[in-house]
Amino acid sequence: MNWWGSRKARSHPESLYSRWEQDHDLQSFGQLGLFYEYLEMVIQFGFITLFVASFPLAPLLALFNNIIEIRVDAWKLTTQFRRPVAAKAHSIGAWEEILNGMAVLSVVTNAFIVAFTSDMMPRLVYMYAYQPEGEMNMKGYINNSLSVFNISQFPNNSMPEEGENPVWFNSSITTCRYRDYRYPPGHDKEYSHTMQFWHILAAKLAFIIIMEHVVFLVKYFVAWLIPDVPTDVKARVKRERFLVQEYLHNYEVEKLKMQLSQQGNKECTCTPMIYPTLPKHELLSEVL
């Protein structure tokens, strides 16, 4: 659209088609321009943080993407859009709360992903509590993590048809193994979850709680260590505020002196000062 609009400038000299008229033909940034820019970053932040444990390479790819996007957005804002109207803003508004909430939620999702999709907790429970020889190793873990099922208990509609069995299968094979923690056939609690299953589940939930608290402590410590407003900026803001108040105070004092010198001993009708009864050191403490 910008290219099509710029064709009008080719048939007009600079004196008839000025630069500001050419800029006016560019795309309008609009009131929702920054909204979509923020929305794009928030969506990316959500995908990266919520599922980073599933694909740890995602943050690196996002970094490369953002480096390129910074340059593309700079080119777009300086050449393809009209200059947006500047407006004061105290912060990024509601987006900050959205990002904070998403960061908290991402800790929970990643803790669940690590606990329930990896073998870390079952291995630790087996090594510390169910190792038959009482040693700190993983010997026998594979056999311990597999349960037994009686093939004859398959329903008829689930059994393979004749001729579909593999070559190695024969009538001597009566059981199969599957990954779970259940009692074997013939047990009083046949195919029910064993106590080891509940121990592993409790360990997973405990890991989630511990991981959340550790990450939150690190998050709050980093937030305290790196304040949103640097200390020198805070001091500069306080100094500017004090200088403004001091200037207004001195202005009122000079104005009062001039009126008193003009009127002599007559009644003063001047405007009261901002701090009519505060000494200078109390004024400084009030400003700070």
Side-chain angles (χ1 to χ4, degrees):
M1 293 177 63
N2 287 336
W3 173 82
W4 184 259
S6 64
R7 297 177 74 253
K8 296 188 297 184
R10 301 177 184 177
S11 58
H12 297 284
E14 184 70 22
S15 58
L16 297 179
Y17 196 62
S18 60
R19 184 65 204 180
W20 68 267
E21 292 176 310
Q22 299 176 32
D23 292 343
H24 185 268
D25 291 335
L26 297 176
Q27 301 301 308
S28 176
F29 192 68
Q31 295 181 349
L32 296 179
L34 282 179
F35 173 82
Y36 291 109
E37 295 293 335
Y38 276 118
L39 181 62
E40 181 182 357
M41 290 294 100
V42 168
I43 292 175
Q44 184 195 74
F45 180 78
F47 276 116
I48 296 302
T49 57
L50 291 175
F51 312 109
V52 66
S54 301
F55 186 54
L57 192 61
L60 180 62
L61 299 179
L63 175 63
F64 292 150
N65 172 79
N66 290 340
I67 292 174
I68 297 174
E69 188 171 359
I70 287 174
R71 307 311 307 168
V72 173
D73 286 347
W75 170 80
K76 181 177 64 176
L77 291 174
T78 54
T79 63
Q80 304 301 310
F81 284 91
R82 301 176 194 168
R83 181 181 298 177
V85 178
K88 288 185 177 180
H90 182 268
S91 63
I92 61 175
W95 295 111
E96 184 175 1
E97 299 300 326
I98 294 173
L99 291 173
N100 287 333
M102 200 171 296
V104 172
L105 184 61
S106 66
V107 177
V108 180
T109 58
N110 283 286
F112 271 92
I113 290 174
V114 173
F116 285 95
T117 65
S118 68
D119 286 341
M120 183 178 68
M121 300 314 300
R123 287 174 179 270
L124 290 176
V125 171
Y126 174 79
M127 185 172 62
Y128 284 100
Y130 287 90
Q131 222 287 339
E133 300 177 1
E135 300 177 359
M136 301 293 290
N137 56 49
M138 299 302 299
K139 184 179 179 181
Y141 169 74
I142 299 297
N143 186 60
N144 175 265
S145 63
L146 298 177
S147 298
V148 181
F149 186 81
N150 193 345
I151 296 178
S152 62
Q153 294 180 344
F154 274 118
N156 293 330
N157 56 356
S158 299
M159 296 185 68
E161 298 181 358
E162 294 294 334
E164 291 186 355
N165 291 324
V167 179
W168 50 264
F169 183 80
N170 53 56
S171 58
S172 64
I173 300 177
T174 59
T175 60
C176 65
R177 305 294 297 272
Y178 62 98
R179 189 172 184 178
D180 205 348
Y181 297 93
R182 295 179 183 271
Y183 289 106
H187 194 274
D188 294 339
K189 300 179 180 180
E190 185 179 43
Y191 301 134
S192 298
H193 284 120
T194 63
M195 187 57 65
Q196 185 176 356
F197 170 82
W198 300 110
H199 288 167
I200 293 174
L201 180 61
K204 290 179 178 180
L205 297 178
F207 168 79
I208 291 172
I209 296 175
I210 294 173
M211 178 179 174
E212 288 179 356
H213 284 73
V214 170
V215 174
F216 286 148
L217 286 176
V218 173
K219 174 182 177 295
Y220 292 130
F221 175 74
V222 173
W224 171 80
L225 195 64
I226 307 174
D228 295 335
V229 182
T231 306
D232 57 339
V233 175
K234 289 183 179 179
R236 200 171 304 168
V237 170
K238 290 181 179 180
R239 174 175 172 77
E240 291 179 356
R241 192 179 305 164
F242 167 72
L243 292 176
V244 170
Q245 295 292 343
E246 186 179 35
Y247 173 80
L248 294 175
H249 176 267
N250 294 336
Y251 172 77
E252 293 293 340
V253 170
E254 294 297 328
K255 183 177 179 181
L256 177 61
K257 288 181 179 180
M258 291 177 59
Q259 291 186 0
L260 289 176
S261 62
Q262 292 175 0
Q263 297 181 5
N265 294 329
K266 294 182 180 180
E267 183 180 358
C268 178
T269 59
C270 61
T271 305
M273 295 185 297
I274 298 176
Y275 296 98
T277 59
L278 289 180
K280 189 170 183 179
H281 67 278
E282 293 186 10
L283 171 63
L284 175 59
S285 62
E286 181 72 18
V287 171
L288 296 179

